[in-house]
Amino acid sequence: MWKNHKYGMYAVIWTLLAIILFACSNNENVSIESQNNQDSPKENTDNPQKISMMFNLHVPETPDEHLEELLEEATNTELEIRWVPDNNYAESLNTAIATNNLPDVFLLKDVTLDQQKDAIRDGQYWEIGPYLDEFPNLSKLKEEVLHNTSIDGKIYTLYAGRPLSRQGLIYRKDWADNLGLDTPTNLEELYEMMRAFTEDDPDGNGEDDTIGLTDREILGTFENFATWHGAPNNWGEKDGQLMPQFMFEEYREAMDYFKSLFDNGYINKDAPVTSKTDQQAMLKNGTAGVYIGTMGDVEPMYQDAVAINPDVTLDVHNYIEGPDGEYRTRSIPGYGSMLIFPKATVETEEELKGILSFFDFLMTPEGSNLLYWGVEGEHHEIIDGKAKVIEDNMDAYNREIRPYTPFEIGEPETNGRYLGYYEYEPRAKADDLYVDNNDYLVHDPTASLESQTWSEKSETLTQIMEDATYQYFLGQIDMDGFEAAIEKWRSEGGAQVIEEYTQQWQNQ
């Protein structure tokens, strides 16, 4: 009898051991599987989550749905996308808000974000900042860029990243070679290039038909010169306050430098009324030798220029030292557009997390490259670790992939997307100079601040100072006249803007 109890007890022990070992084995398998699935979309047999979206369409036609289907398959989602022509996007968004017909996700630009601040503060949109650390890829978004998109220090949007500074020179390298000029490295050398391109017959045709610099109707070109001279980026600290750039001595020095270009005919004198298209045309058709702006524009500008003159050679350059021997470049806030999530349509935290999971996939190398470049071998090929659209399939790329670029979250440093491969050497060089500019950035301290007065009166206040600055360049007013414009700016709301920005800045 004792033996039977003994054998029975052994059987129970062995059974328990088998159960424990089986459970451990299963837990280990689950752990390994979970680890393997951290960086890739998990297979899900549940019904797909439906996500409605509204995006701006920056190409002529609504895109082919090929990429949309690939994204749905990879993320177990069912996407419903409203495509709105870019020129009509703000109006369509306002209509959707007024009629309570918003999607789960929609795109915001700077202006539309300002318009939604009251609704954001009223709790009509999800604050997503507390959720970002739950997602392995969204958690990689840059803190400084998220800060620039924040409202009252809280994060409500996902951003599409942009290089912080793409600014530099595009210039006629063949003209410089003809005149024995090296690439300019400071303001004096750049001035000499613009003078020589105007006065020394750089194209060798024996006619007085060229100028140094081509400019247009906004102050963007001049503001690069102001920053090179040491002026702040829009706003800067002075005597414990935030003050606008035109109240700094370095800005005035840049004004005198720029006025000399107008006085001597080294720049197109109709710049205040010149469009961007006409500004670029002057470089392409051989009228001007220097263009200042986004260096990546060198490739399309070259393609148009060489069709006019096969001997054209262009180059790009960024580094221009100021009077103190330092190089500086203006930084943008680091984003181009944002995505926001209304509570009226995204009703639960579970729904929100499902939507954020979709965008988390788009921040993987697999997702971001699929989104931006399409399918390897079908839309693009990899050369030296960079992506190049297959030329024979350019139409398919433009039809199926290019419209979806506003979906991108983050930037190549955070989402692992391939950079582009460019056979045209100056275009490849431009990308390298974007990275180089990161070491010399001048940030706008008001990027994450808010002034109610500025929101209401920015158009009027901006116009006062743009007009006065161009009037100074053209000799229509002197520095006393410029000071009078500043007083007008102050009296029409500028003084209040200074006070509001300074108070927020000091609080931060």
Side-chain angles (χ1 to χ4, degrees):
M1 189 174 196
W2 181 86
K3 286 184 180 180
N4 288 338
H5 281 297
K6 180 179 177 181
Y7 292 143
M9 187 163 50
Y10 283 158
V12 170
I13 291 172
W14 282 113
T15 301
L16 288 173
L17 284 173
I19 292 171
I20 291 170
L21 288 172
F22 179 77
C24 289
S25 175
N26 276 353
N27 285 339
E28 184 177 355
N29 288 339
V30 169
S31 176
I32 293 173
E33 184 176 344
S34 298
Q35 182 70 30
N36 288 340
N37 284 339
Q38 276 186 355
D39 296 321
S40 60
K42 61 184 179 180
E43 291 186 9
N44 192 344
T45 57
D46 296 337
N47 292 329
Q49 178 174 357
K50 295 181 179 181
I51 306 176
S52 59
M53 306 179 178
M54 184 164 74
F55 281 90
N56 59 326
L57 183 64
H58 56 283
V59 295
E61 298 180 0
T62 301
D64 184 288
E65 294 184 355
H66 179 45
L67 177 59
E68 184 177 334
E69 293 167 355
L70 292 175
L71 293 174
E72 289 176 332
E73 181 180 355
T75 58
N76 192 38
T77 55
E78 183 178 322
L79 304 179
E80 177 189 309
I81 304 173
R82 302 183 208 170
W83 293 105
V84 180
D86 188 62
N87 291 338
N88 300 329
Y89 188 80
E91 180 182 351
S92 297
L93 177 58
N94 289 334
T95 300
I97 293 171
T99 59
N100 196 28
N101 188 32
L102 286 172
D104 299 328
V105 185
F106 63 89
L107 180 139
L108 286 175
K109 301 180 182 180
D110 275 341
V111 175
T112 47
L113 175 63
D114 288 340
Q115 294 171 350
Q116 292 304 304
K117 284 183 177 178
D118 287 342
I120 289 171
R121 292 188 173 109
D122 192 39
Q124 296 180 33
Y125 295 96
W126 284 94
E127 180 192 352
I128 63 169
Y131 299 98
L132 296 182
D133 284 342
E134 299 181 23
F135 297 90
N137 303 296
L138 294 179
S139 62
K140 298 175 185 176
L141 289 167
K142 294 181 178 180
E143 289 291 336
E144 63 271 25
V145 180
L146 288 171
H147 174 73
N148 289 339
T149 69
S150 65
I151 307 296
D152 302 329
K154 299 178 180 179
I155 308 301
Y156 294 88
T157 61
L158 298 177
Y159 71 84
R162 295 291 183 271
L164 293 174
S165 174
R166 295 183 285 188
Q167 297 295 294
L169 279 64
I170 300 174
Y171 70 97
R172 286 290 297 266
K173 180 69 164 54
D174 54 328
W175 284 10
D177 292 342
N178 291 344
L179 300 177
L181 297 173
D182 294 328
T183 302
T185 60
N186 56 48
L187 286 165
E188 291 77 13
E189 292 172 359
L190 178 55
Y191 190 91
E192 171 57 20
M193 172 177 278
M194 292 185 289
R195 182 209 65 77
F197 282 180
T198 306
E199 298 178 350
D200 294 349
D201 192 20
D203 57 4
N205 68 355
E207 298 181 17
D208 183 15
D209 58 356
T210 59
I211 59 173
L213 178 65
T214 175
D215 193 16
R216 73 173 185 269
E217 58 194 344
I218 61 172
L219 288 175
T221 298
F222 165 71
E223 287 177 334
N224 279 285
F225 281 92
T227 304
W228 292 336
H229 274 84
N233 181 351
N234 293 322
W235 290 76
E237 187 275 331
K238 188 176 185 179
D239 300 327
Q241 286 186 302
L242 284 187
M243 306 292 282
Q245 59 186 348
F246 48 78
M247 292 187 182
F248 286 76
E249 184 59 32
E250 294 86 352
Y251 189 93
R252 314 293 179 85
E253 293 172 0
M255 287 174 63
D256 287 336
Y257 180 104
F258 218 65
K259 183 178 186 300
S260 179
L261 298 179
F262 280 90
D263 290 345
N264 290 291
Y266 302 159
I267 186 173
N268 53 308
K269 290 194 175 182
D270 62 349
V273 293
T274 298
S275 68
K276 181 177 181 179
T277 299
D278 291 339
Q279 178 200 18
Q280 292 189 346
M282 280 186 275
L283 186 83
K284 293 186 284 191
N285 65 25
T287 300
V290 178
Y291 171 92
I292 294 171
T294 300
M295 291 178 285
D297 288 345
V298 66
E299 185 165 27
M301 292 175 73
Y302 172 74
Q303 291 171 348
D304 290 344
V306 79
I308 299 170
N309 178 2
D311 297 327
V312 166
T313 304
L314 301 181
D315 202 358
V316 293
H317 180 66
N318 66 331
Y319 189 95
I320 300 293
E321 293 178 355
D324 60 356
E326 297 292 329
Y327 170 54
R328 307 168 183 86
T329 185
R330 297 166 74 89
S331 173
I332 66 169
Y335 61 89
S337 59
M338 297 149 283
L339 303 181
I340 196 165
F341 312 88
K343 289 183 177 179
T345 49
V346 184
E347 297 180 352
T348 68
E349 185 179 64
E350 182 181 4
E351 287 181 79
L352 176 67
K353 289 185 177 183
I355 295 170
L356 292 177
S357 179
F358 170 81
F359 288 105
D360 189 70
F361 169 71
L362 295 188
M363 273 198 71
T364 64
E366 176 189 356
S368 60
N369 282 312
L370 178 63
L371 181 72
Y372 200 91
W373 297 111
V375 179
E376 184 177 353
E378 181 179 343
H379 300 105
H380 74 276
E381 57 186 335
I382 303 302
I383 304 175
D384 296 334
K386 296 182 178 181
K388 183 179 184 296
V389 175
I390 297 173
E391 292 185 13
D392 291 344
N393 289 348
M394 183 65 73
D395 288 344
Y397 174 83
N398 288 333
R399 186 175 62 254
E400 298 174 0
I401 307 302
R402 188 163 168 253
Y404 289 86
T405 53
F407 276 55
E408 184 178 27
I409 304 300
E411 50 277 293
E413 306 98 284
T414 55
N415 61 31
R417 171 173 63 80
Y418 289 119
L419 296 177
Y421 175 84
Y422 301 100
E423 294 178 352
Y424 181 53
E425 193 277 333
R427 178 61 187 86
K429 181 179 177 181
D431 273 355
D432 293 337
L433 296 184
Y434 294 165
V435 176
D436 184 65
N437 271 345
N438 288 335
D439 293 330
Y440 307 98
L441 297 170
V442 178
H443 296 279
D444 180 353
T446 67
S448 63
L449 304 182
E450 183 181 2
S451 161
Q452 184 64 34
T453 306
W454 182 253
S455 297
E456 296 170 356
K457 300 184 177 182
S458 61
E459 187 173 344
T460 298
L461 294 174
T462 297
Q463 197 63 55
I464 290 171
M465 297 316 302
E466 282 192 0
D467 289 346
T469 303
Y470 270 124
Q471 287 166 3
Y472 184 84
F473 295 156
L474 297 171
Q476 297 170 358
I477 62 172
D478 57 12
M479 192 53 71
D480 288 340
F482 189 75
E483 291 290 351
I486 291 178
E487 289 307 310
K488 180 180 180 182
W489 182 90
R490 282 180 175 274
S491 66
E492 296 199 12
Q496 185 67 24
V497 176
I498 291 174
E499 182 179 334
E500 291 169 359
Y501 273 150
T502 297
Q503 183 176 358
Q504 286 193 45
W505 174 69
Q506 290 174 341
N507 290 341
Q508 283 190 355

